[in-house]
Amino acid sequence: MTDQGHEQVATAAPDFQLDERTEKGFVQWYKALPQDAQLVRFFDRKGYYSVHGDNAFFVARQFYKTTAVVKYHGNPKDQLPGVTLNRNLLESVLRELLLEGAGHTVELYEGSGSSWRVVRSASPGRLTDFEEELFKNSDGDAPTVMAVTLSMVDSQRQVGVAYVEASSRSLGCCEFVDDDQFCGLEALVVQLGAKECVVPKLEAKECVVPKDLMEGGGSAAENADLRRLKDVFARCGTMATARPRSFFSNKNVETDMARLIKGGNIEQHADVLERKTATSCLAAVVAFAELLSDPTNHGRYNLSLYDQGGDANNSFSLYGLMNRARTPMGKRKLKSHTNSRFASAMDERELKVWLKQPLVKLEDITVRHDVVQAFVNDSEMRERLRDQHLRGYPDVERMARKLETKKATLQDLCQLYRASAKLKLVEDCFRCHEGPGAAMLCSR
């Protein structure tokens, strides 16, 4: 978001109005909360919102462009800084933290005085609670979430990975031997484009490296592996989230998969289930994404053993370079690399799939090349589709998910009707093509 956009949203901070007793109770309660540099807490003041502590200065500098809006509350000797936000600014801050960045979690509190409770929370990999604010004026996808754990097999470091793509309802996992620098893992994280990664937490120390991985058993080796893993996630713009080891128990993974996958036939996925390190990650990512708690997910997911393409260290350099190209604020710049020529949100989504999962079969590659060649040669067909039929085409995939979860509005239904009315025009456009690929286009 540009500086101009921030200034348009945040013209003035709402007044913070509390009586002395209420203010004192809130300050004491807030200062007793556990401090977490990654967590941003918002407080619903019934008409406006507030944020406090160091986060108040972040909002002031980043959105108001001045610290003059920061107000201090409580005892003069131990004051608590705070900034107020209107509804529009709250939505802008949430988009900045959760969509553009990957380093913060957020919580929204309701209450009064010294009695507050969390009513909504989100992280870069879990946006469900704030979908209304985040995608109010734009289409968006559920982010990819992954889980990673390590084990030792025949004196070699083995990495287990699992991921969930809620937008396509896909589950995948794999395991592989990696080097000391986790080069294979880094390539895989970049390939998946994950916004958040779940890692196990040790009981004694908050560390993502299992004790059986420590060659010498000392803290030096443990800290070295931890530092390298953190560096991997930092370079990829992925937030690492520690969870108890109980998340990584694969005791019930077969039962859980039977409930989630289409058809419920778990026997056909023996190649996945026999990989214990990978399935422990599968259990963790399913628990973190809370897939089982939503009945609309049951029987809807595809499960597959993820193919890294043979050489995880050298694959997918194109998407890796595009994924790492960022603004000074660390935002991904995929659209800048493609000149923002997407006709709809589905186009951008499909391009990401092409980049992250390139075709490997010659027959499929040839067909795709033929389709592209047809568009290159027939400028009339290309322009008709782009400018007349597909420009402004609604995100049908997103609206279909809203129908499944019974969140679709009358406006969504009208947009679906409008989209279906254009399908015949699109078909006619393809049938008018007279090039070498005419029969192939009509058949597809």
Side-chain angles (χ1 to χ4, degrees), residues 144 146 161-165 170-176 184-185 187-194 269 271-272 275 278 282 302-310 312 315-316 319 352-353 355-358:
T144 299
M146 62 187 298
V161 177
Y163 70 90
V164 55
E165 290 184 348
S170 300
L171 285 164
C173 63
C174 64
E175 61 184 37
F176 52 92
L185 176 61
L188 186 55
V189 173
V190 170
Q191 180 186 350
L192 292 173
H269 297 288
D271 57 338
V272 173
R275 291 166 168 80
L282 192 60
N302 294 307
L303 175 63
S304 63
L305 187 63
Y306 195 74
D307 183 4
Q308 296 173 263
S315 300
F316 315 103
Y319 186 78
K352 289 180 180 179
V353 173
L355 293 174
K356 292 193 292 183
Q357 301 174 7

Side-chain angles (χ1 to χ4, degrees), residues 197-215:
C197 181
V198 185
V199 293
K201 180 193 296 184
L202 289 180
E203 296 297 334
K205 298 181 180 179
E206 292 188 3
C207 174
V208 298
V209 183
K211 293 179 179 179
D212 57 1
L213 265 179
M214 303 309 137
E215 297 174 355

Side-chain angles (χ1 to χ4, degrees), residues 174-279:
C174 64
E175 61 184 37
F176 52 92
V177 175
D178 211 350
D179 56 30
D180 291 342
Q181 302 301 321
F182 300 107
C183 294
L185 176 61
E186 180 172 358
L188 186 55
V189 173
V190 170
Q191 180 186 350
L192 292 173
K195 290 296 294 291
E196 190 166 4
C197 181
V198 185
V199 293
K201 180 193 296 184
L202 289 180
E203 296 297 334
K205 298 181 180 179
E206 292 188 3
C207 174
V208 298
V209 183
K211 293 179 179 179
D212 57 1
L213 265 179
M214 303 309 137
E215 297 174 355
S219 61
E222 182 173 331
N223 291 336
D225 269 348
L226 173 58
R227 182 173 62 253
R228 285 192 288 268
L229 274 178
K230 286 186 175 181
D231 288 343
V232 167
F233 296 129
R235 287 195 298 270
C236 297
T238 301
M239 182 176 183
T241 300
R243 284 294 184 267
R245 282 205 164 274
S246 58
F247 264 59
F248 291 80
S249 171
N250 54 17
K251 179 180 179 181
N252 299 316
V253 69
E254 291 191 28
T255 303
D256 294 343
M257 291 302 103
R259 295 173 62 187
L260 288 173
I261 62 175
K262 294 178 179 179
N265 185 7
I266 195 64
E267 288 79 10
Q268 65 181 339
H269 297 288
D271 57 338
V272 173
L273 299 176
E274 67 185 9
R275 291 166 168 80
K276 299 305 180 183
T277 308
T279 54

Side-chain angles (χ1 to χ4, degrees), residues 13-52:
D15 291 333
F16 191 83
Q17 298 177 345
L18 291 178
D19 59 67
E20 183 177 351
R21 181 178 179 181
T22 302
E23 182 182 77
K24 181 179 179 181
F26 174 77
V27 171
Q28 291 178 342
W29 175 84
Y30 186 91
K31 286 184 175 291
L33 290 174
Q35 298 302 306
D36 184 346
Q38 291 185 321
L39 175 60
V40 180
R41 298 180 173 100
F42 296 94
F43 296 87
D44 187 349
R45 302 286 179 178
K46 307 305 180 185
Y48 65 96
Y49 302 85
S50 69
V51 61
H52 301 271

Side-chain angles (χ1 to χ4, degrees), residues 362-412:
L362 178 60
E363 180 182 353
D364 295 337
I365 294 173
T366 301
V367 170
R368 181 174 291 179
H369 284 179
D370 290 343
V371 172
V372 173
Q373 190 63 49
F375 279 102
V376 170
N377 294 339
D378 193 341
S379 60
E380 180 181 355
M381 177 182 69
R382 184 176 68 247
E383 291 172 1
R384 282 179 60 192
L385 283 172
R386 182 185 64 203
D387 299 332
Q388 297 180 27
H389 304 323
L390 297 182
R391 188 170 299 281
Y393 201 80
D395 191 342
V396 176
E397 294 171 344
R398 178 170 173 77
M399 286 188 287
R401 292 196 298 272
K402 293 177 71 175
L403 281 172
E404 291 176 350
T405 57
K406 299 181 180 180
K407 295 181 180 179
T409 64
L410 180 60
Q411 182 181 4
D412 294 327

Side-chain angles (χ1 to χ4, degrees), residues 276-431:
K276 299 305 180 183
T277 308
T279 54
S280 66
C281 293
L282 192 60
V285 79
V286 167
F288 181 77
E290 299 178 341
L291 298 184
L292 292 170
S293 63
D294 185 354
T296 62
N297 290 327
H298 296 177
R300 297 295 184 87
Y301 272 80
N302 294 307
L303 175 63
S304 63
L305 187 63
Y306 195 74
D307 183 4
Q308 296 173 263
D311 189 352
N313 294 339
N314 298 317
S315 300
F316 315 103
S317 58
L318 173 60
Y319 186 78
L321 289 172
M322 296 175 71
N323 189 57
R324 294 185 186 188
R326 303 169 184 275
T327 66
M329 288 300 297
K331 304 173 186 176
R332 286 179 170 84
K333 294 286 286 180
L334 176 62
K335 286 190 177 182
S336 69
H337 292 283
T338 53
N339 297 322
S340 298
R341 297 302 297 272
F342 302 116
S344 71
M346 292 185 292
D347 296 349
E348 181 181 358
R349 190 180 303 127
E350 187 66 17
L351 177 60
K352 289 180 180 179
V353 173
W354 282 23
L355 293 174
K356 292 193 292 183
Q357 301 174 7
L359 298 177
V360 293
K361 294 182 179 179
L362 178 60
E363 180 182 353
D364 295 337
I365 294 173
T366 301
V367 170
R368 181 174 291 179
H369 284 179
D370 290 343
V371 172
V372 173
Q373 190 63 49
F375 279 102
V376 170
N377 294 339
D378 193 341
S379 60
E380 180 181 355
M381 177 182 69
R382 184 176 68 247
E383 291 172 1
R384 282 179 60 192
L385 283 172
R386 182 185 64 203
D387 299 332
Q388 297 180 27
H389 304 323
L390 297 182
R391 188 170 299 281
Y393 201 80
D395 191 342
V396 176
E397 294 171 344
R398 178 170 173 77
M399 286 188 287
R401 292 196 298 272
K402 293 177 71 175
L403 281 172
E404 291 176 350
T405 57
K406 299 181 180 180
K407 295 181 180 179
T409 64
L410 180 60
Q411 182 181 4
D412 294 327
L413 297 178
C414 291
Q415 286 186 318
L416 280 173
Y417 176 79
R418 180 168 61 86
S420 64
K422 286 189 174 184
L423 293 179
K424 186 65 170 68
L425 300 175
V426 173
E427 180 186 358
D428 292 342
C429 188
F430 282 128
R431 294 191 180 281

